[in-house]
Amino acid sequence: MALYSFKEKYQRLRKELIGGAFALGGVFLSGTIWYYLIERWSLTEAAYMTMITLSTVGFSEVHPLDDNSKLFTIVLISMGVITIGYIVNRLTEALIQGYFQEGIRQRQEKRLIDTLEHHCIVCGYGRTARQVALEFTAEEVPFVIIDSRPEQVEEAKQLGYVVIQGDATLDECLVNAKIEKAVCLVSALTSDAENLYTVLSAKTLNPKIRAIARASTEEAVLKLQRAGADAVVSPYITGGKRLASAALRPQVMDFVDGILTGSDRTFYMEEFLVDPKYCPCVGQTLSEARLRLQSGSLVLAIRRSDGALLGGPTGETELMAGDLLICMGTPEQLRQLNQILGPINRSATLRPPRHQHSFKNV
């Protein structure tokens, strides 16, 4: 038997309650019209008679009734009892199942999603996406999860994540997640085809978004890249490489893991964009900019605007507009570096370190 989502159940119950209210109103209106037209009572007396009849309070009739009106009153009482009983049954189900409380919580989540900017969208909540959510939480990155499976949605909600139940391959669902304001989309759905559709939809709705997709095969990697994915990760290929690296270079892997993931670390890696609008260091060499001397952070690599990667830049390396600096340092050092690179107006592309608490050694 198919499992209905909370939204479907809530909408069904809402329609049933509205239908019951209209039915009760129709019964009340029918009784009032009968007593008003057939019995020739005043409108007030007709409405009063209908009310005491439907409520079964046991009051006597306003005026004596003929046989036809008595039969009508019997039908009116039966219809009233059935309609009111139906409404009470629906209200009891809503209270027991917590639909009203859940409806309030979903409206609060919707308002929260509407206020999000520069957030990430995680499509799917499987084993891979769970780890993505944990890392985003550790990095204090705002994100929204999209999943169509009720069990996964409920599990994510229990952990306090903001979740939208729906199909991530549909434009409507991505629009609900405010994709036009998002900076990154991670598609970790179980099917390569679904990830492909999601990337295509995301790039259509927001061409500037950074799309990262999961792939199961090498063929899927190539197709996702052609579809516009900025990065494609295959858990099997990546896992095999990391297993080999852990066997051959265990200390290097421990160090890299220590600065890339988790919240229990001393050093972090961040990327900073050299924006000519705000950065006074454009055109200077690293020695002239004195980034290491002023902040204490280390520039590990520079990604040029044309995609070329310069590893281990020297003091003679010139900083150019559009460069992406990959830096390592403590949270305070990275914050200081961010101020140096954008002292006038912090750009959205300059990512300030979000960690403001103490850390243990790697």
Side-chain angles (χ1 to χ4, degrees), residues 5-285:
S5 68
F6 167 81
K7 185 177 180 180
E8 292 171 334
K9 291 180 180 178
Y10 182 79
Q11 290 177 344
R12 173 185 60 81
L13 185 64
R14 185 170 178 269
K15 290 179 180 179
E16 291 173 350
L17 285 173
I18 292 175
F22 274 109
L24 183 60
V27 172
F28 180 84
L29 185 61
S30 299
T32 302
I33 293 175
W34 177 279
Y35 294 123
Y36 179 72
L37 296 178
I38 304 301
E39 293 296 326
R40 303 295 180 179
W41 296 353
S42 68
L43 192 60
T44 302
E45 289 175 336
Y48 176 73
M49 180 63 184
T50 304
M51 178 59 70
I52 63 176
T53 301
L54 293 178
S55 60
T56 65
V57 295
F59 290 175
S60 61
E61 295 88 350
V62 176
H63 298 291
L65 301 173
D66 58 23
D67 290 342
N68 290 334
S69 292
K70 287 180 180 179
L71 291 174
F72 173 78
T73 303
I74 292 174
V75 175
L76 187 65
I77 292 173
S78 300
M79 295 300 297
V81 170
I82 293 173
T83 305
I84 294 174
Y86 176 81
I87 294 175
V88 171
N89 178 270
R90 300 293 87 192
L91 285 172
T92 303
E93 179 185 348
L95 291 173
I96 293 176
Q97 298 295 332
Y99 288 123
F100 294 139
Q101 298 91 324
E102 184 67 16
I104 293 173
R105 190 175 71 83
Q106 286 204 348
R107 285 193 292 271
Q108 291 174 340
E109 285 185 353
K110 186 178 184 304
R111 285 195 294 268
L112 175 61
I113 294 173
D114 290 341
T115 61
L116 285 177
E117 288 184 345
H118 308 303
H119 61 288
C120 295
I121 300 174
V122 180
C123 300
Y125 192 66
R127 289 175 293 180
T128 303
R130 285 190 187 94
Q131 189 61 41
V132 173
L134 289 174
E135 293 297 328
F136 281 172
T137 302
E139 292 282 340
E140 300 177 12
V141 174
F143 65 95
V144 179
I145 296 173
I146 301 175
D147 200 295
S148 60
R149 297 165 294 180
E151 309 87 7
Q152 307 300 96
V153 170
E154 185 60 30
E155 179 183 340
K157 286 183 177 180
Q158 292 295 328
L159 295 173
Y161 300 145
V162 179
V163 189
I164 295 176
Q165 184 167 352
D167 188 351
T169 63
L170 301 178
D171 291 355
E172 178 185 2
C173 202
L174 295 176
V175 170
N176 291 338
K178 299 300 175 185
I179 190 171
E180 71 277 4
K181 297 182 180 179
V183 296
C184 179
L185 177 137
V186 178
S187 186
L189 300 169
T190 55
S191 166
D192 289 335
E194 290 178 326
N195 289 322
L196 181 63
Y197 287 137
T198 302
V199 170
L200 286 171
S201 298
K203 283 295 186 178
T204 301
L205 295 170
N206 183 358
K208 295 182 179 180
I209 196 170
R210 177 171 173 78
I212 304 170
R214 175 187 181 274
S216 300
T217 64
E218 293 186 13
E219 182 181 0
V221 171
L222 297 176
K223 289 183 177 180
L224 284 163
Q225 289 174 341
R226 288 198 293 266
D230 298 281
V232 182
V233 178
S234 172
Y236 307 108
I237 298 175
T238 303
K241 291 180 179 180
R242 289 182 65 85
L243 286 172
S245 298
L248 299 175
R249 293 173 288 276
Q251 298 304 320
V252 173
M253 289 303 300
D254 288 345
F255 175 75
V256 171
D257 286 341
I259 61 177
L260 287 180
T261 61
S263 58
D264 188 19
R265 46 189 161 139
T266 295
F267 295 104
Y268 291 84
M269 291 182 66
E270 285 285 355
E271 12 177 281
F272 299 94
L273 180 67
V274 179
D275 192 333
K277 295 180 181 179
Y278 313 114
C279 182
C281 303
V282 176
Q284 298 179 356
T285 64

